[in-house]
Amino acid sequence: MKILIDGHMLGSNEGGNERYTKNLILSLSKIAPIGVLLYKKLRFVKKIYSHIIINNDFIRLLIAPIIMIINGYDVLHVNYLLPFWKPLRIKYVLTVHDLYFKRSPNSYSYKDKFIFYVLFPYSLWLCDAIIVPSNFSRSELIHFYPQYTNKVFVTYYGVDPVFRKINRRISSIPYFLAIASKSERKNIRTICNAFIEARMENTHLYIIGIKPQDTAIPRNHNIHFLGYVPDSRLNMLYHEARALIYASSYEGFGLPPLEALACDTQVIASDTPCMREIGGHMYSYYQKGK
């Protein structure tokens, strides 16, 4: 069986979704011939036969089946959005990380709404199997699209090997760590306000994933926005932190808490169904108002 994986987001610093796709490629390449759709050459796929295509989503979704036919691929894996058509003998596998767009549609642009409300349902109809990362995500997908119940399979995420326990050391500058994005569901503003109100003058808060201009959070000399950091540095930040604060209101899985736990770092996480499923008794739960 030959497998083609849509990895067009690789190299774009997209966080968990990119890390998931990277490790899917590396793992499957050990047991089957793998091809990867890319927008640019990447070092870690240099030993894998890959196709580099034009940096255009429309063209990618149009010609991926042609690439599969020419090169004899049997299965295509993508995240969220499948090509516009499917050859008869080829199987399509779709990974759906979460359905936040259904719970909070106003958080998305008109372009994203078109993708999620027009093209995504078409992809659900076209695919042969749907992978979700948790039972919570499965229940969400079945709630909104019950006609595809028999297609949905839960496959939990794993922790990237870069996040591992090493000789633990605590930074001489005490700090908490938070993982952010531009999405309001990460509740970074709430975390920052709580940190400021706590008046921990000698403690700092490091925020990964966004820059100061990406948010309207009040400025404070103890709050530092680090933007994107490579995984090797993130591993060290996990190890030296007092704790990871992960107060997201909605996740399909939530990799950062598991990455922190793999580094033997404490986690303060939101009390949501997904966090309870993934972390269980290992988490100290963050609850609003406490």
Side-chain angles (χ1 to χ4, degrees):
M1 178 182 294
K2 293 184 66 176
I3 304 171
L4 183 65
I5 297 177
D6 184 353
H8 74 278
M9 80 293 294
L10 297 176
S12 60
N13 302 332
E14 288 193 14
N17 290 356
E18 181 180 355
R19 193 173 293 125
Y20 164 80
T21 302
K22 173 185 175 181
N23 283 290
L24 185 66
I25 292 167
L26 293 175
S27 297
L28 288 178
S29 64
K30 299 175 182 178
I31 61 174
I34 296 293
V36 185
L37 292 176
L38 295 171
Y39 282 164
K40 58 183 176 181
K41 293 182 179 179
L42 296 171
R43 182 180 301 175
F44 87 92
V45 294
K46 63 182 180 181
K47 295 182 180 180
I48 302 172
Y49 183 68
S50 60
H51 301 275
I52 300 169
I53 63 174
I54 189 171
N55 188 0
N56 181 295
D57 289 337
F58 179 81
I59 298 297
R60 170 175 57 85
L61 296 174
L62 188 64
I63 71 171
I66 299 175
I67 292 174
M68 297 190 70
I69 293 171
I70 293 174
N71 292 278
Y73 286 104
D74 304 293
V75 178
L76 172 68
H77 173 273
V78 305
N79 293 293
Y80 286 108
L81 205 57
L82 284 167
F84 300 131
W85 60 286
K86 184 175 82 168
L88 290 177
R89 67 170 187 81
I90 289 174
K91 302 295 183 182
Y92 282 172
V93 178
L94 187 72
T95 288
V96 179
H97 300 285
D98 65 62
L99 284 96
Y100 184 62
F101 61 91
K102 296 293 287 186
R103 295 297 184 182
S104 184
N106 293 332
S107 301
Y108 291 83
S109 66
Y110 288 114
K111 176 184 175 181
D112 290 336
K113 287 179 180 179
F114 175 76
I115 290 172
F116 285 124
Y117 288 93
V118 178
L119 300 182
F120 176 69
Y122 175 71
S123 293
L124 292 177
W125 174 80
L126 192 64
C127 73
D128 297 280
I130 304 166
I131 296 175
V132 293
S134 63
N135 284 306
F136 169 72
S137 290
R138 185 178 190 274
S139 66
E140 286 283 270
L141 195 144
I142 292 173
H143 172 74
F144 291 109
Y145 306 99
Q147 65 271 37
Y148 302 121
T149 299
N150 294 333
K151 287 186 180 182
V152 186
F153 302 90
V154 176
T155 303
Y156 288 117
Y157 296 157
V159 177
D160 191 298
V162 72
F163 302 110
R164 63 191 186 281
K165 187 177 179 180
I166 58 179
N167 292 330
R168 182 167 174 75
R169 60 180 184 178
I170 299 296
S171 172
S172 58
I173 302 175
Y175 68 86
F176 291 96
L177 190 65
I179 308 295
S181 71
K182 295 180 181 180
S183 174
E184 290 293 326
R185 62 172 155 167
K186 300 298 184 181
N187 285 321
I188 294 301
R189 187 178 305 173
T190 300
I191 293 173
C192 290
N193 288 337
F195 177 80
I196 293 171
E197 291 177 9
R199 297 181 180 179
M200 296 184 287
E201 294 297 330
N202 297 320
T203 302
H204 295 252
L205 175 64
Y206 291 168
I207 300 174
I208 305 296
I210 59 174
K211 297 179 180 179
Q213 59 267 31
D214 295 330
T215 178
I217 294 171
R219 299 295 176 258
N220 182 282
H221 67 279
N222 281 8
I223 298 177
H224 310 274
F225 295 86
L226 305 186
Y228 168 78
V229 300
D231 288 348
S232 57
R233 186 185 177 196
L234 181 55
N235 185 53
M236 295 306 302
L237 287 168
Y238 278 138
H239 275 86
E240 297 180 355
R242 293 304 194 263
L244 169 72
I245 303 176
Y246 199 72
S248 179
S249 60
Y250 186 101
E251 293 292 336
F253 186 86
L255 273 172
L258 286 190
E259 293 167 354
L261 290 171
C263 297
D264 199 25
T265 297
Q266 296 186 70
V267 175
I268 304 170
S270 49
D271 186 13
T272 61
C274 184
M275 291 295 99
R276 291 195 296 271
E277 177 185 349
I278 303 305
H281 66 280
M282 292 185 290
Y283 290 137
S284 298
Y285 288 111
Y286 169 91
Q287 293 180 312
K288 184 177 180 181
K290 294 185 179 182

